[in-house]
Amino acid sequence: ATSRMLARCALLLAASLPLATSRVPVTPLRRRTLLQVLRRLTLDAPDFRGDELSIDIGGSLAKVVLFQPSPPPEDGQRPRLCLGSPRLDAELDALLKQSGERELSMYVPQLGGNLHFFCFESKHVAAAAAFLAKRPVWQPRRQVVMRATGAGSYKHQHALGGIGVRLDLSLDVDCMLSGLNFLLHQLPRPDLFTVAMPESMTPLATPGAYRAAVEGGYAAVAHPPKDYIYVSVSTETVVLEAKSGAGGRPTFRRLGASSVGGATFWGLVRLLTSCATFDEVIRLTQSGASANIDMLVGDIYGGDCPSLGLRGDVIAASFGKVTMRREVKRSRGLMFLVRYLRALLRHYEEGFWLVVLAVVNSVPLLRLAAQRVGLVRLAESRAASMAMCGSFRAHDVALSLLRMVSNNIGQIATLYAQQSGLRHIVFGGSFIREHPYTVATISAAVHYFSRGEVQPLFLKHDCFVGAIGAHLKGRESDAAAHGGAAHGGREGGHEQHQPREVSS
């Protein structure tokens, strides 16, 4: 009854907005595309200003927000980048459209312009710095000030400073809170959505079934909650408590963190498969069956367990069936030779498919053609499966890992919400990135562990919260500097934030 009541509340909460359409998740820019984007922004565009870029460099991904002053777009038109040249605008727009970033661009009346978003792997920051340092000798080097946050900003601050890029750093917790408050409470429509999961959905439903459930129950939220738990799932998992304070200004308190996060999933996948990118793993899970890897309640009790209220399809132990496989006796003689030859063939087949992927990915047109005929997906799955031990499939292992990490994140978030007496959890961070299956798995975990008493909510621009906050902090600093110059430097100063309890 409680879950049905919450489902009705969720529908009422979203009633004033139309159903949102599911989008293609944002894909990090490849190194080649990243350098092309940087070239068009910094070398080709004559009027580009560095303070229009804000960056949040994390342990895995670097998230970038590009602001451009602009009048409101015409009805039905998406905001477009304007670099002063139609050719550059078309080229840069095409580059970002390849990775889905164009879908995230939005006009913000409060800022008087457009926000454009893209991201790339943090390991490419050094390559980007080296690229920017190699500008032609006839182009004078100019000092560029870029607003930045995240732990990686401190790591790369010296290298970027050596090529004329000075980072205007802000504390990551301050930027996170500023960006979160902006997305939830200062936009014409809150940057928030929910997913109504069917009560009959089994925990072992296929990714395709979860995707269909997400697309069918995907709804924008008209009125964001005032009191909630915010869970940022990036390299690690950080949990904050948000409550409405005096004058309606939200106050935040850091509740805790967990070392289980996106890096946990990605690190284990890299150890167990040959997948090269995060999105490659997500594609791999779409044809997986974690029941081949995970031990279920039904495997232990032979079916449902009514005395404990557990269905037979509930996961009892992640990777539990690996331990149930009988160990093969040590092979001797001819059998040892057969096993050795099989392992050798698997090794060479893995190498073959990795070479195919390298060749295909090096030529954009060839990659596009290979994607259309399914060659990329075939090569990724074969290479990943050949790296596995025994008869296990990489598809099943990747899906089991995704469910293990997502379920743990959902349970941790639920426990913090119950401890604080709150009924809403807002999820963000680069681990989610609006992948339908990840959203569905976390939603199902929260509903399961809270018995339907806690409502999971998600941000559309989930991994750009810190970068948006860095941009807003930079604007505040500029306004304070101008105001201070006019009033003897005493007015318009920063409000100091405490890491444990801060006001956004």
Side-chain angles (χ1 to χ4, degrees), residues 173-174 176-178 180-182 184-186 225-230 239-255 420 422 424 495-504:
V173 65
D174 289 349
M176 181 191 301
L177 301 181
S178 180
L180 180 64
N181 183 56
F182 179 80
L184 293 185
H185 302 291
Q186 297 181 26
K226 295 182 179 179
D227 302 333
Y228 56 91
I229 295 292
Y230 176 64
V239 183
L240 302 174
E241 177 191 73
K243 290 190 174 182
S244 57
R249 292 168 57 87
T251 60
F252 295 85
R253 183 167 65 98
R254 188 179 188 274
L255 297 181
S420 301
L422 300 177
H424 295 91
E495 178 184 358
Q496 296 297 321
H497 298 288
Q498 298 297 325
R500 289 288 176 178
E501 185 166 353
V502 297
S503 296
S504 62

Side-chain angles (χ1 to χ4, degrees), residues 191-401:
D191 193 74
L192 203 61
F193 69 93
T194 185
V195 175
M197 299 296 295
E199 294 184 11
S200 59
M201 179 68 70
T202 170
L204 295 179
T206 64
Y210 270 115
R211 177 182 291 272
V214 170
E215 293 176 349
Y218 187 104
V221 175
H223 305 290
K226 295 182 179 179
D227 302 333
Y228 56 91
I229 295 292
Y230 176 64
V231 181
S232 176
V233 190
S234 297
T235 302
E236 73 286 352
T237 301
V238 179
V239 183
L240 302 174
E241 177 191 73
K243 290 190 174 182
S244 57
R249 292 168 57 87
T251 60
F252 295 85
R253 183 167 65 98
R254 188 179 188 274
L255 297 181
S258 172
S259 60
V260 177
T264 306
F265 170 71
W266 181 222
L268 289 173
V269 167
R270 290 296 298 270
L271 285 174
L272 296 175
T273 73
S274 60
C275 292
T277 65
F278 186 89
D279 296 278
E280 182 181 333
V281 181
I282 296 297
R283 289 194 296 270
L284 199 66
T285 61
Q286 295 175 5
S287 57
S290 61
N292 297 330
I293 301 292
D294 297 333
M295 185 184 296
L296 310 179
V297 170
D299 296 322
I300 300 174
Y301 290 94
D304 297 343
C305 183
S307 60
L308 298 178
L310 297 175
R311 289 164 39 176
D313 56 4
V314 172
I315 299 174
S318 298
F319 287 82
K321 283 185 179 173
V322 178
T323 65
M324 297 172 64
R325 296 288 180 92
R326 182 177 300 175
E327 294 186 5
V328 181
K329 295 182 179 180
R330 186 175 180 180
S331 303
R332 298 177 181 275
L334 182 60
M335 288 303 300
F336 174 80
L337 180 60
V338 171
R339 291 187 61 195
Y340 174 77
L341 291 176
R342 288 179 59 187
L344 191 63
L345 288 174
R346 290 170 64 92
H347 173 74
Y348 279 110
E349 184 178 352
E350 177 191 2
F352 169 77
W353 290 114
L354 290 175
V355 170
V356 170
L357 283 173
V359 173
V360 168
N361 290 331
S362 62
V363 183
L365 291 179
L366 182 59
R367 175 176 175 81
L368 181 62
Q371 286 177 332
R372 290 184 176 179
V373 300
L375 178 60
V376 171
R377 178 165 299 203
L378 173 64
E380 289 175 349
S381 62
R382 292 300 300 170
S385 293
M386 288 302 103
M388 300 302 303
C389 297
S391 58
F392 297 106
R393 297 170 66 241
H395 313 67
D396 305 335
V397 171
L399 183 58
S400 178
L401 282 171

Side-chain angles (χ1 to χ4, degrees), residues 413-455:
T414 301
L415 292 175
Y416 274 115
Q418 292 174 333
Q419 185 181 49
S420 301
L422 300 177
R423 290 181 173 271
H424 295 91
I425 303 174
V426 177
F427 288 93
S430 56
F431 172 71
I432 300 173
R433 276 193 284 140
E434 209 175 340
H435 286 291
Y437 184 68
T438 309
V439 170
T441 305
I442 293 179
S443 294
V446 171
H447 282 298
Y448 176 81
F449 291 115
S450 69
R451 300 183 184 274
E453 296 181 358
V454 178
Q455 180 72 24

Side-chain angles (χ1 to χ4, degrees), residues 60-96:
S60 303
L61 287 178
K63 289 77 66 177
V64 180
V65 171
L66 171 61
F67 171 76
Q68 287 193 319
S70 173
E74 298 180 3
D75 293 340
Q77 297 293 325
R78 292 190 179 276
R80 298 181 63 88
L81 284 166
C82 298
L83 300 179
S85 167
R87 179 182 61 83
L88 292 178
D89 294 347
E91 290 180 358
L92 189 55
D93 188 71
L95 287 172
L96 297 182

